[in-house]
Amino acid sequence: MVDWGYTINKPRAIAYDANDHTWENALQEAVPVLRSCIGCGNCTATCTAGNFVPFNIRKLQTLVRRGEYAGLRKELDKCMLCGKCRLVCPRGINTRKMIVTLKRLLAQPVAAGIPVAPGAASTAGQR
Amino acid sequence: MHTSDMNTHFDPFVIPFTLGVIYLFAVVVWRYVKWFAELPEADRRAFRHALFTVRSLKAVREVVEEALLHKSILRVNPLLWYMHLSFALGWFLLIVIGKFETSAYLKEAFNPPHVHVFFRYFYPEEPFRFHRGFNYAFLMDAVLLFILSGVALAWFKRLRASWLGMKKTTKHTRGDRMALAALWVVFPARLLAESATCGIHQTGDFLTHSTGMALAGMVGPDALRMMELPAWWIYSLALGMFFVAMPYSRYMHIFTEVPHIFLRHYGIRGGDKPGSADNFQIQACSRCGVCIDPCQLQSAAAMNDVQSVYFLRDRRYGLLTDPVADNCLMCGRCETRCPVHIDLNRLRLNSRTARAEKAVPLTDDRYAYLRGEDRSEGTGKVGYFAGCMTLLSAPVMTAMQRIFDAAGEEVWWADKAGGVCCGRPLKLSGETDAARRLMDYNKALFEKHGITTLVTSCPICLKVFREDYHLEGIEVIHHSQYFLRLLEAGRLKLKASGATLTYHDPCELGRGLGIYDEPRAVLARLGTLAEPKQTKKHALCCGGSVANFVLNSQQENRIATDAAAVYAATGAETLVTACPQCKSTFRRNSALPVSDLAEAVAAALEVPASAHRIPAAAGRTAAPAAS
Ligand code: SF4
Ligand code: SF4
Ligand code: SF4
Ligand code: SF4
């Protein structure tokens, strides 16, 4: 069978209310225009890092906006901050600002219970 | 009246001044010694080696020209220059002439500083011409008047900054306000005190004699006698207050500009990471505000607190915030105008480095996924690195292919099928060490393929290749330079269209690397070049800089629209640039069609020369049909 590079996400429940929204709120505040993201995936499709390694910036920020931070540090480390994603975003979202903001949030004292270690929500194979 | 004081040269009112002077010099010496001791050993060695060379003489010359005469400010605005000159040169002369006057009169070489500062009080009956016909009283009056005219201008500047050629004037901290208040009082207080003394004794020269007599006429001799001592107290207190506030104010630059100039001449200027050399630069800023007007964040995006002057102020007092550190295009427009030659881009960058080192730990497996990757294509001594942004511009890639084919060049394509970022955008965020990993990857790739020339279309890549890669045996050139070489060697034939073109100097290419002429020389073979109002060193930034981590797209677009209008005003038909990032930003905001230099050259190609020039090239990918 031809491998088109698509896979289907396994069904899972999002415990939105149970999640910690500290970083999510901080991110939305720093980059309010992120709310206008249409999830088109242009950013991921053009990604320099994603050309070498499974890395999905669209998915990453979507997860953060739901308060899901698992594996964030490890994923963010893949990005080269090249800025291609910003140029192709149809909503003009400053994705580099988004990424830098996330990195800094990671350095701040975290609210209890935020799993920042690499874990469940790996973006592997879901480009 | 002052006979008893004449021998001891003392009166209690000199105490505030004397304490101020002692405090000031203690603080200044302590700081400089500390900063110097904290310099890296290599810098200190460089300092020792350079000390007794001609470089010191050049530094002395610059100290006179800049710290005293402020020649660079003259180029910005004559009135502003006069104001700075009157304070710097005026005060300097007041001290030097005052010293000579005192020593000549007392016939002794050394005496404590307060003696010449308060000379007129201690020796009110000094004759008009007492020393070989040298009229010190006249000179001192003239200098005082010179300074007072500067004070008047400073008041005026507060009110109408624009009259001094500046749209915005700088904001102040508490130390500044104290020092400034004292400074504004110092010279009028000196005039008042000297006038009182001269009025009582009917001495003084054209200024102090006239004001003294006027004063005596106004208040009468008795009141004048009562006023005299308080006036000298005010003068001394103002001086003392100024000296105490000075180390905590912008006036610290008065002294610091001197070591700063010497260090610059010795090539000691700090690096990508914060270091002690930065102290001298940061404190050398006079907060003249010359850097405010050229900043497009101010003129086009209405951001008024992020310019270099504010950045330096905040960093100096440990108040630097991310929004200020991050909100800069690093366009270098301010740096080229700074009269003190402070490395504004480097300082902005290394404060980001300090921030990133705390926030983003560098793990061992960062970018480990790149190990063993090589997606390059082709073989040749000439390598081409498109760069991330160029890869997004298919027309530029096609144009490069056509030009290489036309010239019959064998090319090694480093990143046609997707490469690794050059590392500069990451470096600009402050992650210097992580960026080094990307640089090491690319460097190894270039060396592996044995190229001798590396051509890139992206000035951002070009800058980092030249400054950080340390590529030995590989010459790195911009595509504009490459085109010019091909043209001069007769390897490319272009048909001039006769169209009027205007050229945008990309910041990293122009101010960043000093490449202004080659793109113009290429364009001259294509059509007529129409220069915009601000060009070359003073060219505008497109607004899309990867160095800025704050602007949203609307703000970027505002800057770009503003700049695009300047190009449209030339009456040209096309705006040509030589950077994929500028092209992309302008395309969204320019009334004129925008193209990269590569596209302009490819469109003017006469015949794909490759077919008959180098037969071996025929087997390779054929050039796309000329359109
Ligand atoms: S390109 Fe922009 S709009 Fe599309 S998914 Fe990415 S961030 Fe969202
Ligand atoms: S900035 Fe990061 S996420 Fe965006 S395209 Fe470049 S590597 Fe990918
Ligand atoms: S950075 Fe330079 S131009 Fe700006 S205020 Fe300081 S000395 Fe003046
Ligand atoms: S480098 Fe450019 S954007 Fe930054 S402060 Fe200077 S003029 Fe403004």
Side-chain angles (χ1 to χ4, degrees), chain B residues 267-319:
Chain B
I268 299 168
R269 51 194 330 163
D272 288 346
K273 300 196 174 177
S276 190
D278 297 343
N279 289 319
F280 290 101
Q281 296 225 352
I282 293 167
Q283 300 265 0
C285 167
S286 65
R287 230 168 285 172
C288 64
V290 166
C291 52
I292 300 176
D293 279 359
C295 184
Q296 291 163 264
L297 294 176
Q298 175 263 130
S299 62
M303 296 172 155
N304 293 320
D305 49 5
V306 298
Q307 283 69 28
S308 291
V309 56
Y310 305 122
F311 159 74
L312 288 177
R313 177 198 60 191
D314 292 355
R315 185 163 163 185
R316 182 190 277 190
Y317 301 118
L319 302 171

Side-chain angles (χ1 to χ4, degrees), chain B residues 317-329:
Chain B
Y317 301 118
L319 302 171
L320 188 61
T321 56
D322 292 342
V324 172
D326 287 346
N327 198 356
C328 170
L329 301 159

Side-chain angles (χ1 to χ4, degrees), chain A residues 51 78-79 86 92 96 103, chain B residues 367 369 375 431 546 556:
Chain A
N51 197 24
K78 295 176 182 170
C79 167
R86 176 166 198 195
R96 291 175 84 236
K103 288 185 179 192
Chain B
Y367 303 126
Y369 64 82
R375 302 199 175 172
E431 288 194 62
V546 286
E556 267 188 17

Side-chain angles (χ1 to χ4, degrees), chain A residues 34 36-44 57-58 61-62 65 85 88-93 95 98:
Chain A
L34 202 52
S36 74
C37 169
I38 51 172
C40 67
N42 267 0
C43 47
T44 298
I57 188 67
R58 176 194 62 76
Q61 53 102 339
T62 311
R65 284 191 289 140
C85 48
V88 297
C89 176
R91 310 311 302 248
I93 295 167
T95 47
M98 170 184 94

Side-chain angles (χ1 to χ4, degrees), chain A residues 46 48-49 51-53 73-74 76-84 86-88 92-94 96-97 100 103-104 107, chain B residues 322 326 355 359-361 363 366-367 369 373 375 388-389 392 417-419 421 425 429 431 546 549-551 553 556 584:
Chain A
T46 195
T48 306
N51 197 24
F52 290 94
V53 68
R73 156 105 288 148
K74 204 167 170 231
L76 280 177
D77 268 357
K78 295 176 182 170
C79 167
M80 303 184 193
L81 220 55
C82 69
K84 275 175 90 180
R86 176 166 198 195
L87 282 194
V88 297
I93 295 167
N94 190 340
R96 291 175 84 236
K97 180 177 186 182
V100 167
K103 288 185 179 192
R104 287 178 184 166
Chain B
D322 292 342
D326 287 346
R355 177 71 173 78
V360 195
T363 55
R366 183 91 182 256
Y367 303 126
Y369 64 82
E373 289 283 359
R375 302 199 175 172
C388 302
M389 299 299 170
L392 278 179
C421 179
S429 81
E431 288 194 62
V546 286
F549 290 85
V550 172
L551 295 184
S553 294
E556 267 188 17
S584 158

